[in-house]
Amino acid sequence: MEDLLTILVRGVAQGSVYALLAAGFVVIYRATDVVNFAQPALMVLGAYFTALFVRTYEIPFPLAILGSILVVGMIGAACERIALRPMVGEPPFSAAMVTVGVFLVLTIVANRLIGSNVLTVGDPWGLDTAVLAGGVRMRVADGWRIALTAGAFAGVGLFLARSRVGLAMRATSLDQEVALAQGVNVGRMFGLSWAMAGGLAGLAGMMVGSGGQGVDNTTAFVALKALPVIILGGLDSLKGAYIGGLVIGVAEAFTRANSAALTGYVGANVDVVVPYVIMILVLMVRPYGLFGTPEVQRV
């Protein structure tokens, strides 16, 4: 039982990182109807800037996290202004392809900055492990991942639900032309959504690189796990991103824990495949996800 709970906690922590990345997809999609494939590269840049602030400029770790969130958020807003703003009015598929180009450019830049070695973000908790009630073991880094993700989702949810700017973003996501007619600066809402998604990616990057894991040139592919998350939870649902992330993380953790027994039946590294198997099953029975909005088209 203790081992099961330990695996569960580990899965929730990993799923929290996926949920943060998926939240960035959701925020941009709700505002612009565009799937942002540049999110993984922004995550890697988040890890890089955290490491830069901590290790080079010796800034305290909490301030380095805030600095990284701010810088990556500004990079996200700049990407929207330079590459995506000219695509307003174009089909969402065309804009999504532009985000693929942004991903490639940012990935090349991130790889040049990181180099060929593994980059550690200099987190203060490292590989430390805590023993909770009932003998459940939890890495300190995992505890921070769970807590920071819950706090980030609560903050974004309250901002979108209670603030005037959040209301304007919701209006933009519902109907851009009506929002424009009501005096909403739609372009500013687009930029703000990219800045928020960049900030979430920056926080996720710190989490990916913490706990002794580090970041290298292949880390961006970890963020692809956000795709099954948004399919499972729903592309336009913040709640779906959170729950979907946890489900994918827990499923992956339990599969990895039992991989030795499963290898004879389905081969090695089955835990890597499980998120995408879940994604395919969800697409077959509920293509708009558990909490997504079904689209009805009259013909």
Side-chain angles (χ1 to χ4, degrees), residues 37-38 83 95-108:
F37 291 103
M97 290 300 100
V98 172
T99 69
V100 175
V102 174
F103 164 75
L104 293 174
V105 171
L106 294 180
T107 299
I108 292 172

Side-chain angles (χ1 to χ4, degrees), residues 207-224:
M207 294 183 183
V208 170
S210 65
Q213 297 185 48
V215 179
D216 59 20
N217 293 337
T218 63
T219 302
F221 295 105
V222 174
L224 294 179

Side-chain angles (χ1 to χ4, degrees), residues 19-275:
L20 267 183
L21 288 163
F25 281 92
V26 170
V27 168
I28 290 180
Y29 181 80
R30 286 177 52 157
T32 66
D33 277 343
V34 173
V35 179
N36 172 28
F37 291 103
Q39 198 72 1
L42 292 171
M43 179 198 74
V44 176
L45 287 174
Y48 168 77
F49 282 109
T50 304
L52 179 71
F53 294 148
V54 172
R55 303 174 69 86
T56 302
Y57 297 109
E58 299 182 348
I59 296 175
F61 193 69
L63 295 179
I65 296 174
L66 294 177
S68 174
I69 291 173
L70 180 62
V71 171
V72 180
M74 292 172 63
I75 292 173
C79 290
E80 187 278 335
R81 190 66 185 87
I82 296 171
L84 274 299
R85 191 71 62 87
M87 298 298 295
V88 172
E90 299 296 331
F93 178 78
S94 301
M97 290 300 100
V98 172
T99 69
V100 175
V102 174
F103 164 75
L104 293 174
V105 171
L106 294 180
T107 299
I108 292 172
V109 172
N111 289 343
R112 291 290 297 272
L113 292 172
I114 292 174
S116 57
N117 298 321
V118 176
L119 178 71
T120 57
V121 300
D123 58 286
W125 43 75
L127 298 173
D128 294 344
T129 300
V131 180
L132 307 180
V136 178
R137 298 183 303 279
M138 181 180 71
R139 290 184 292 188
V140 177
D142 287 346
W144 280 104
R145 288 181 181 126
I146 295 171
L148 289 174
T149 297
F153 268 84
V156 172
L158 285 174
F159 176 78
L160 293 177
R162 301 294 177 85
S163 69
R164 291 177 61 86
V165 177
L167 179 62
M169 291 183 68
R170 287 163 53 201
T172 303
S173 68
L174 293 174
D175 194 313
Q176 297 173 10
E177 294 183 356
V178 172
L180 189 63
Q182 296 296 319
V184 175
N185 188 329
V186 174
R188 185 176 299 171
M189 295 304 107
F190 288 173
L192 182 58
S193 67
W194 272 77
M196 291 177 62
L200 292 169
L203 182 60
M206 180 279 295
M207 294 183 183
V208 170
S210 65
Q213 297 185 48
V215 179
D216 59 20
N217 293 337
T218 63
T219 302
F221 295 105
V222 174
L224 294 179
K225 300 287 180 62
L227 296 178
V229 171
I230 58 177
I231 296 297
L232 174 61
L235 192 51
D236 61 346
S237 171
L238 202 60
K239 179 174 69 175
Y242 187 69
I243 295 177
L246 300 189
V247 170
I248 293 294
V250 170
E252 192 179 48
F254 275 101
T255 307
R256 185 182 300 118
N258 295 282
S259 59
L262 296 171
T263 298
Y265 301 98
V266 293
N269 299 323
V270 64
D271 57 294
V272 178
V273 182
V274 163

